[in-house]
Structures are given as C-alpha cells and as structure tokens.
Amino acid sequence: MKQHYIPRFYLRRFSDDGKSIHTYDKQLAKVYNASMMSVCCEDDIYTISDDFIKKSNREGGKINKLSLEQEHFARTEEPLFLQLLKEIDEIRNEWVSGKEHYRLKHIEKRELALHIVTLFFRHPKLKESTVNDCLRMENAGIDMVKAFLAKQKNDDSINDLKINVTCEAPVLHANLTYMDKETLMCFADAIASNIWIFEVSKGDDFYTCDFPIVVEPHVENARPMYMGLAQYGGELTFPLSPNLVLSVFDKEYFKDKEKDDCSFIIAGDKEIRRQNMLRYFYASRHVFSIKNDFKLIDIIYKIRGRQHVFMNANFKTEIISGLGRY
C-alpha cells in the first residue's frame, strides 16, 4: 500500500488543480505532470505487521495495521498542521495588503515547529537511519556481552555465536521519533527559540521537493545539534507554499536578525534562486513547481555536463562499543 511521507494536503499547496503536480524527475531528467498518489510515498512505510498486532493486542493494545498512518497522521497530525498553515497564509495576506500583521508568539512558533519536526522525522531517510542506529546499538551491546562471557568461561567460541536482532521497524521508528513527545518538544523548543523570517514571493516561484526541510550551514564543522535543525550557524528553510518560505536562523550566529523575528520580507530573485537550489540539491528524486518552471534545474544540469546534484543530510551516528565501531 502506498503511504505518503510528505502529506498530500501539503503537496496540494503546490498543485494548480489539487489532483496532480508539476514534477521534475532527477532520475529521469524529465518534466511531467505527476499524480499526487505517485510522489512522496513508499510502500507500507507505516504499516504494522499482523504478528506485531496480535502480540500487542494480547497484551492490552488496541492497534491495527494502519494505526500510524490513519489514526496518528491522517486524523490527528495533518489536520492540525493544515489549519496552522492556513492561519499563516492569512497573516501573509495581511502583510502583503499593507495591513498591520500579527507576529507569531513563542508558543505559536513552537506549535509550527512541532509539525515541522514531525514532518522531518517521518521521512523514510530518518526511518532508515533511526532503525539502523538502534539495531547497531543492540548488536554492539550483544557483542560486549558475548566478549564478557567468553572471557569469564574461557571459551572464545562464544564470540562466534550468531544472534539475530529484529524489530518492528515502523513502530520502532515512531516510538523513537515522531511519537516521542519528549524528543519532539525538545527539538521544537530549540527551533522555536531561534529567529524566524518569512520570505514572500509574489509570483508563486518557490519549489518544494520530496525532502523539503533543509539546513544550510554557515559555519564549517559545527556540531549538528538536533540533527542539524538547530545547530550553531545553521539556517533551516522550509517552503510553506509556492509564495512563502520559512527561514529559521540560529540566534547566536545571526544576532543581528533578532529584531526581525517573525517578520515578513519580499524575496528577491537571488534569494528565490537560492531557496530553489536547496530544494533541488536535496531532493532524492522529485522537485515540484506550481508554475511548471524548471529552467533553473535545466541550467544547472547542462553546466554540470548533464549530471544532477544529489546532496544528502548525514543522519548516521558512530557507535563505539569498546570492541569496535558500528
């Protein structure tokens, strides 16, 4: 079953008919109008297995195979996210029309940050990284126990025992990231405490993509705090619509922007290009434009000898058990 990791309500904001979306495919180097059901989705990334459901429900749980997709996202998370984006659209419209506009308070910034972090965490790249990190930690722990027993019993063959570590990947991913309230709040507070600027394009010029939340570092070798989302010298950017991008600047490095927190500015041509380049660089495959205007990508593709740029955020941690690195 196809399940979206970028919600359809968000993709519709970049669609001119609500059913399809103008798409640049980096793998095929081709532009086409894609069905909303065919992009930003994977098979069963949230589906819970029958065996896990039976075991959980025997122990008092009340879950089904689509609990994560339907009950958590479709019925709870996504409607709240959509409503908040609509409210920000209204604030933007007030600013564009010259009216005195509302500025988000910290609690409102944190609410939007919670949705941004959830969207970031639910991505399949984060799922893969989170599950792999957990399994590597388990394997490291098992190897340490085997080494201890081998030494205690003077039997080196214990180190050769094969012990399989398994997990229910969708549930493990959820419990460690987007359903962990403490982790979500910690990340959201860090992002909300930084400086927010809303950049406006009057011509619906902003792209989005299948990996829309990007952090651009302005300081080399800074520690990737909060998976980079709130690191020193970092600038988190996220297109809210074709005419609005949120840029979140680290409050320590960008102190001069503090007076502009939660303000709106017009994005010039250079800034629009920069934002769209970030979306293109970090897209795994698909870039979207409501105007069906991918001239920027075409230029970069030709300059690079018909080779696309593929940049990846680094989520992998190094785990040291004392016996080796995993």
Side-chain angles (χ1 to χ4, degrees):
M1 176 185 295
K2 292 289 184 184
Q3 296 172 331
H4 282 78
Y5 52 87
I6 305 294
R8 277 177 287 171
F9 82 79
Y10 173 79
L11 294 175
R12 288 190 192 100
R13 293 170 67 83
F14 294 82
S15 167
D16 56 11
D17 65 5
K19 298 179 181 179
S20 60
I21 189 165
H22 299 301
T23 304
Y24 190 101
D25 189 321
K26 290 169 68 174
Q27 292 184 10
L28 302 178
K30 182 180 178 181
V31 175
Y32 52 84
N33 205 28
S35 164
M36 210 79 72
M37 296 299 296
S38 66
V39 294
C40 300
C41 56
E42 287 193 1
D43 289 333
D44 295 319
I45 53 174
Y46 310 120
T47 301
I48 303 172
S49 71
D50 291 337
D51 288 343
F52 186 88
I53 292 169
K54 290 177 183 177
K55 180 180 177 181
S56 176
N57 290 349
R58 280 199 304 267
E59 297 171 355
K62 294 181 180 180
I63 62 173
N64 60 67
K65 65 191 321 183
L66 298 179
S67 287
L68 294 175
E69 181 190 25
Q70 293 184 352
E71 294 173 24
H72 183 72
F73 287 123
R75 296 173 187 164
T76 305
E77 161 66 20
E78 293 176 8
L80 294 174
F81 194 1
L82 175 59
Q83 180 59 38
L84 187 54
L85 290 180
K86 287 181 177 179
E87 292 172 6
I88 293 173
D89 287 342
E90 292 178 6
I91 297 172
R92 172 201 170 273
N93 292 339
E94 289 177 355
W95 178 82
V96 169
S97 65
K99 297 179 182 178
E100 185 174 345
H101 70 281
Y102 181 81
R103 289 202 180 196
L104 298 182
K105 299 175 182 177
H106 177 80
I107 192 171
E108 294 160 330
K109 290 169 66 178
R110 187 174 65 181
E111 183 181 356
L112 179 55
L114 281 167
H115 292 296
I116 291 172
V117 174
T118 298
L119 180 61
F120 182 78
F121 277 159
R122 69 186 284 188
H123 197 281
K125 288 185 177 180
L126 264 295
K127 177 184 177 182
E128 180 182 7
S129 172
T130 301
V131 171
N132 286 346
D133 282 352
C134 186
L135 293 180
R136 286 188 293 126
M137 289 179 68
E138 290 291 328
N139 282 319
I142 289 170
D143 283 352
M144 290 181 69
V145 171
K146 288 193 297 184
F148 174 78
L149 290 175
K151 185 174 182 179
Q152 186 181 54
K153 297 181 177 298
N154 196 27
D155 183 359
D156 288 340
S157 66
I158 293 176
N159 287 315
D160 298 325
L161 293 174
K162 302 296 181 184
I163 301 176
N164 294 323
V165 180
T166 60
C167 69
E168 183 70 14
V171 176
L172 178 62
H173 173 218
N175 287 338
L176 292 178
T177 58
Y178 60 81
M179 291 189 73
D180 183 333
K181 293 182 179 179
E182 184 176 345
T183 297
L184 280 177
M185 192 60 71
C186 183
F187 273 65
D189 272 331
I191 294 171
S193 296
N194 281 329
I195 299 163
W196 290 30
I197 295 178
F198 295 92
E199 303 186 39
V200 176
S201 161
K202 291 187 175 180
D204 288 343
D205 296 301
F206 291 124
Y207 293 168
T208 193
C209 69
D210 54 19
F211 192 81
I213 300 167
V214 172
V215 175
E216 183 174 11
H218 294 269
V219 175
E220 290 186 5
N221 302 317
R223 291 181 62 193
M225 301 296 293
Y226 302 96
M227 291 189 172
L229 298 181
Q231 70 184 40
Y232 178 70
E235 177 194 357
L236 181 157
T237 64
F238 174 49
L240 304 180
S241 74
N243 54 46
L244 192 62
V245 163
L246 170 62
S247 291
V248 180
F249 297 90
D250 168 52
K251 64 183 177 183
E252 298 299 329
Y253 185 77
F254 295 98
K255 291 181 180 179
D256 59 316
K257 295 182 182 291
E258 187 172 2
K259 65 183 183 302
D260 299 318
D261 188 30
C262 290
S263 64
F264 287 72
I265 63 172
I266 293 292
D269 292 342
K270 183 177 179 180
E271 177 62 12
I272 290 170
R273 285 195 299 271
R274 184 179 77 92
Q275 292 288 352
N276 287 345
M277 285 172 67
L278 288 173
R279 247 43 69 188
Y280 161 60
F281 290 163
Y282 281 87
S284 299
R285 179 172 181 177
H286 295 133
V287 184
F288 310 112
S289 165
I290 196 170
K291 296 171 66 176
N292 200 22
D293 180 0
F294 298 103
K295 290 193 290 290
L296 175 64
I297 297 177
D298 288 334
I299 291 170
I300 297 172
Y301 182 60
K302 290 174 183 176
I303 290 174
R304 289 178 49 83
R306 304 183 71 80
Q307 294 291 323
H308 279 303
V309 180
F310 288 90
M311 297 182 69
N312 290 301
N314 180 19
F315 307 123
K316 185 174 181 179
T317 58
E318 186 175 53
I319 299 166
I320 304 174
S321 71
L323 302 173
R325 296 170 188 268
Y326 292 76

